[in-house]
Amino acid sequence: QVQLVESGGGLVQPGGSLRLSCAASGSIFSIGTMGWYRQAPGKQRELVARISVGGRTNYADSVKGRFTISRDNAKNTVYLQMNSLQPEDTAVYYCNAVRIPTMSPLLSWGQGTQVTVSS
C-alpha cells in the first residue's frame, strides 16, 4: 500500500503562512483525488481541501480563500499552502487519498504534521 509522509508544520503567529508537503511512496496519479485533513484537539478529523487528478479543487468554507492545495503527479507529492493562519487552524494535518463521494480516506494514515498558530 502507498505510504504517506507529511512535513512542513510548525509554530506560526496569527496571520502567518506555512506550506505543507505530503510525499507518497507510490503513484498519486493512479490513486486519484488527494486531500488534506486536519484534527484539532477534542474534535473529529475533517477534510479541508481536495484536488482531483486533473487539478480541480474544493475547500471547506473555513479555509476557502486562505488555503491552496496543489499536486505534482510526477513527484508524487501534494502540497497545502496556508496563508492568513488563525489560532483555529491549529491542528495535526494529514494527507490521504479521498474516496468519492463519501470523502472518507482510502489509505492508512501517516504520522501527520503539527500546525500551531499562536502569538
Side-chain angles (χ1 to χ4, degrees):
Q1 191 180 40
V2 173
Q3 304 295 316
L4 302 167
V5 178
E6 301 90 347
S7 62
L11 173 64
V12 63
Q13 292 186 340
S17 298
L18 283 173
R19 188 193 195 206
L20 307 183
S21 297
C22 170
S25 62
S27 171
I28 62 171
F29 179 83
S30 62
I31 289 174
T33 297
M34 297 292 295
W36 282 95
Y37 297 76
R38 70 184 180 187
Q39 186 166 22
K43 294 187 177 181
Q44 288 190 331
R45 199 169 301 189
E46 62 172 342
L47 178 63
V48 297
R50 71 181 193 268
I51 183 168
S52 70
V53 170
R56 181 180 299 178
T57 58
N58 292 87
Y59 300 92
D61 288 343
S62 59
V63 307
K64 199 172 295 183
R66 301 186 298 122
F67 291 10
T68 302
I69 188 171
S70 60
R71 64 191 289 165
D72 186 332
N73 293 326
K75 294 183 178 179
N76 294 320
T77 302
V78 183
Y79 305 96
L80 186 68
Q81 177 67 43
M82 306 186 296
N83 298 328
S84 301
L85 283 162
Q86 300 301 318
E88 53 265 35
D89 295 315
T90 295
V92 180
Y93 284 72
Y94 304 85
C95 71
N96 211 313
V98 181
R99 188 192 308 271
I100 305 296
T102 63
M103 306 304 162
S104 57
L106 274 171
L107 305 172
S108 298
W109 294 106
Q111 83 288 350
T113 186
Q114 175 71 48
V115 172
T116 302
V117 185
S118 176
S119 55

